[in-house]
Amino acid sequence: MAQTPDASLTPKEVKFEDNHLKRMFLEHLNSIYLGKHHLLDFFEEIKEMASLNQLKLAIEELKSDTQKQIEQMDAIYVSIHSTPSNVSVLGIKGMTLEAYLSVIKSVKTPLERDAFVLFYVQIIEGIEITYFKVLKNLAKAIGYNNSFLDQPFDLAVENRLLFEAIYNEYIN
């Protein structure tokens, strides 16, 4: 049974053992890794739905960046002597299903669909940014060099800003 911290402790007073931190790190790494694999197909689908050429190009760049992030995470697995394991990525899959239903299964004009694609991609990038921040913090706590997460994190931030800029340009 998992230990529950004493309710009177402050967050700074709670101490995790290294094996717990490593297990949490690996679980989060597996989640984002498998989520990224799922997103490759999703990005291809929404690229076909997009009507604006600028949006199609941005989604293609996002897909390429996602492949780079997967390769970087492959290197992380090698460096920590581990392999990806199957975990639930229902959050990412649920978000992409919601996006798909909002964009495809509803009666929207091509411009409205583009706006919804932009909205959902920004949400997905925000989730990715959070995953990479958590991974960086866990890596630091474990004693791993967390600089190997800088590039995947930076790509997620850049992509979020790119789609935010397109969205702002699009609706103004």
Side-chain angles (χ1 to χ4, degrees):
M1 189 165 146
Q3 289 181 315
T4 304
D6 184 324
S8 64
L9 293 176
T10 67
K12 285 189 178 238
E13 294 171 321
V14 175
K15 299 294 181 209
F16 284 95
E17 294 180 26
D18 274 354
N19 62 332
H20 293 136
L21 292 170
K22 287 178 182 176
R23 190 171 52 230
M24 289 183 340
F25 177 85
L26 195 54
E27 189 172 330
H28 285 296
L29 183 62
N30 287 332
S31 294
I32 190 68
Y33 183 83
L34 294 175
K36 287 284 189 183
H37 278 281
H38 170 74
L39 289 172
L40 285 174
D41 293 332
F42 173 72
F43 294 149
E44 190 60 38
E45 289 179 33
I46 62 170
K47 186 177 94 176
E48 298 302 318
M49 293 183 242
S51 63
L52 287 174
N53 193 44
Q54 179 185 19
L55 180 55
K56 287 179 181 277
L57 292 172
I59 293 169
E60 187 59 38
E61 181 180 330
L62 179 61
K63 192 174 161 199
S64 174
D65 288 348
T66 299
Q67 189 59 50
K68 286 178 197 168
Q69 289 169 317
I70 289 171
E71 291 166 7
Q72 291 161 344
M73 287 184 279
D74 284 334
I76 293 169
Y77 281 109
V78 169
S79 73
I80 63 171
H81 309 293
S82 189
T83 57
S85 60
N86 203 11
V87 296
S88 172
V89 290
L90 287 177
I92 293 284
K93 287 182 176 182
M95 182 60 63
T96 58
L97 178 61
E98 180 181 319
Y100 182 77
L101 293 173
S102 294
V103 174
I104 289 294
K105 297 297 180 185
S106 60
V107 181
K108 290 189 176 32
T109 67
L111 296 177
E112 289 172 323
R113 282 197 312 263
D114 286 348
F116 273 84
V117 165
L118 285 162
F119 170 74
Y120 280 103
V121 170
Q122 287 179 76
I123 291 173
I124 289 166
E125 288 305 305
I127 293 168
E128 290 178 9
I129 289 167
T130 301
Y131 264 115
F132 286 122
K133 279 184 181 178
V134 167
L135 284 171
K136 285 174 71 75
N137 289 334
L138 285 169
K140 183 178 178 182
I142 296 167
Y144 291 160
N145 177 349
N146 68 358
S147 65
F148 55 80
L149 291 158
D150 289 345
Q151 196 168 18
F153 174 78
D154 291 345
L155 281 174
V157 170
E158 289 170 13
N159 285 325
R160 169 110 189 226
L161 294 173
L162 170 65
F163 284 96
E164 189 176 306
I166 294 170
Y167 186 79
N168 287 334
E169 184 179 320
Y170 194 62
I171 61 169
N172 289 325

